[in-house]
Amino acid sequence: MRIPEQIQRLAIVTAVIIGGVLLVRFVLIPRSLISDDLHRASTVQRELAKPIKFAGSTACQDCHEDVSSRVRKGYHKNLSCEGCHGPEARHAENPMEVKPFAPRDRKFCPLCHGYDPSRPTGFPQINPTAHNPIKPCITCHNPHDPVPLTAPQECSACHAQIQRTKAVSSHALLQCTTCHSVPAQHKKTPRSAWPSKPDTRAFCGGCHGKEATPKDAPKIDMSTHGGRFLCWQCHYPHLPEGRG
Ligand code: HEC
Ligand code: HEC
Ligand code: HEC
Ligand code: HEC
Ligand code: HEC
Ligand code: HEC
Ligand code: HEC
Ligand code: HEC
């Protein structure tokens, strides 16, 4: 007797499906994923038997009240102690024997503060390669109470090279602000507010022109000296040289 062709095809398709299911169930999916151990009642015992690694912030507070109260008041109030210090249950039980870990390395803080466009706007972020790149973060920021710092107000704090250059020049006694008007914001976030720079020959002529008042400034004839060039195309203003 001949099996009708449509039944044959149906049998092949059924065989392929059953074979596929068996292959995936017993060969392709690893045994460990199918294991039903996880769903047994004994799982609870098994998890309970694991050693406890985290003590919890309240435990730290019992012995480190000073640090805890500082953290609670500051910008890091929502961080847990062990989020930074790592699991410290063993230290909490035996503080003299088990020395805890403290994340003093520069690489640590950028895990949260390194610039990442996916972080919410307003979250304080820095570029670790450009933000005071040499010293560890904790030399300037207290990890338990990271108050926002203000940048130094002296020009020399950031322009030390220019300050040192000017200091040995004949312009040593001039204030930086005689030639640059500097918005206050420049000293906090330098690139958000730019100081002015002199932009005309007449500016220098204000002291060096024949008619100019300051007696101690050597005079030149503004109409001929240096032609039409700007003064600082020949004289670096922070170290001007004349007779040399
Ligand atoms: C039973 C009291 C006790 C508990 C609880 C405790 N500590 Fe301590 N901890 C100490 C003592 C004592 C020292 C000083 C040990 C030393 O000087 O060697 C110390 C030192 C430290 C230090 C300084 C290590 C260093 O390198 O200077 C850190 C950090 C620290 N603990 C973190 C924690 C954290 C985080 C917790 C909570 C998980 C915690 N401690 C819980 C008693 C305790
Ligand atoms: C943002 C990460 C961070 C958090 C959160 C944090 N710590 Fe620290 N902790 C540090 C770093 C970094 C040091 C090392 C400071 C140093 O060497 O100047 C430190 C040092 C310490 C020390 C050593 C003594 C001292 O005062 O410097 C103790 C004790 C301590 N932490 C306890 C705690 C406790 C308790 C908490 C939770 C209330 C906590 N820390 C939360 C980063 C953190
Ligand atoms: C687990 C993430 C996390 C880690 C690690 C962390 N911080 Fe913070 N930091 C925060 C959060 C959250 C704030 C509060 C942000 C806010 O108020 O919007 C904050 C605030 C700050 C501020 C205040 C900035 C401002 O002007 O508002 C400074 C500075 C700071 N952290 C420095 C550090 C330093 C230094 C370290 C390393 C010792 C560190 N942080 C580690 C999460 C973290
Ligand atoms: C040499 C000192 C110094 C070091 C080292 C330093 N900072 Fe700062 N940090 C500052 C000063 C100053 C400011 C305030 C700048 C300003 O007013 O714009 C600041 C600001 C910040 C802010 C606030 C930015 C904001 O947008 O509000 C964060 C966050 C920060 N620093 C994190 C870090 C981290 C993380 C490290 C280590 C990778 C670090 N700092 C190393 C001095 C330092
Ligand atoms: C917090 C650090 C900081 C302080 C303080 C600071 N500056 Fe600057 N200044 C900068 C930075 C950063 C730049 C940009 C340098 C660059 O991008 O080449 C800059 C640029 C300048 C420029 C160049 C502007 C331009 O268009 O090229 C002048 C001029 C200047 N500063 C003058 C001053 C004077 C004068 C003071 C003191 C009253 C001062 N700065 C204080 C950081 C600072
Ligand atoms: C005699 C006027 C004068 C004084 C004083 C002076 N500057 Fe300048 N500065 C200039 C001029 C002019 C330029 C523009 C130079 C150019 O464009 O080549 C300039 C440029 C700069 C620049 C841009 C970068 C550079 O080197 O050209 C900075 C930054 C700067 N000055 C900072 C300072 C600081 C900080 C002080 C004080 C320590 C200071 N200046 C004092 C006249 C002056
Ligand atoms: C506020 C007045 C003042 C301004 C503005 C000023 N200078 Fe001077 N400059 C002086 C004085 C004062 C001296 C001489 C100081 C001394 O006795 O050595 C001097 C000296 C010089 C010298 C001679 C240096 C030498 O070794 O002989 C040159 C060149 C010079 N300035 C160029 C400039 C240029 C270029 C500018 C404009 C960017 C400028 N100065 C702006 C006051 C000024
Ligand atoms: C083309 C280059 C050039 C330019 C532009 C230039 N100088 Fe000079 N300057 C010199 C040279 C070279 C000397 C030294 C020789 C001399 O005294 O002529 C000098 C000397 C000086 C002296 C010292 C004069 C003395 O008696 O000690 C002053 C002051 C001076 N320049 C100011 C200026 C001022 C201000 C400007 C802009 C208005 C300016 N220079 C533009 C090249 C230049």
Side-chain angles (χ1 to χ4, degrees), residues 198-219:
D199 53 4
T200 59
R201 285 169 57 89
F203 177 85
C204 310
C207 290
H208 290 293
K210 282 242 153 40
E211 321 297 319
T213 34
K215 283 205 197 62
D216 49 354
K219 305 297 183 232

Side-chain angles (χ1 to χ4, degrees), residues 30-119:
R31 287 290 313 150
S32 56
L33 284 188
I34 301 170
S35 155
D36 48 13
D37 287 357
L38 279 176
H39 310 291
R40 295 211 176 111
S42 64
T43 318
V44 176
Q45 267 83 51
R46 193 188 62 202
E47 291 302 311
L48 280 177
K50 285 185 180 168
I52 291 170
K53 291 188 184 150
F54 290 90
S57 290
T58 36
C60 318
Q61 192 182 328
D62 291 344
C63 298
H64 297 292
E65 178 47 38
D66 49 337
V67 176
S68 297
S69 60
R70 243 193 130 172
V71 173
R72 264 201 310 275
K73 284 189 213 109
Y75 279 85
H76 277 164
K77 60 173 175 293
N78 293 329
L79 306 193
S80 79
C81 310
E82 289 164 298
C84 288
H85 287 285
E88 293 295 358
R90 287 177 56 239
H91 163 71
E93 271 158 30
N94 198 348
M96 287 337 232
E97 296 290 311
V98 184
K99 199 126 179 83
F101 166 78
R104 295 187 170 91
D105 196 275
R106 232 191 110 82
K107 288 200 201 74
F108 176 74
C109 315
L111 292 177
C112 289
H113 289 291
Y115 180 72
D116 181 337
S118 66
R119 296 208 160 113

Side-chain angles (χ1 to χ4, degrees), residues 166-178:
K166 188 178 78 70
V168 298
S169 83
S170 50
H171 278 167
L173 294 181
L174 303 191
Q175 300 286 326
C176 308
T177 45
T178 303

Side-chain angles (χ1 to χ4, degrees), residues 2-12:
R2 204 171 162 277
I3 301 170
E5 203 178 317
Q6 64 271 39
I7 301 288
Q8 283 181 26
R9 278 199 236 110
L10 201 61
I12 291 171

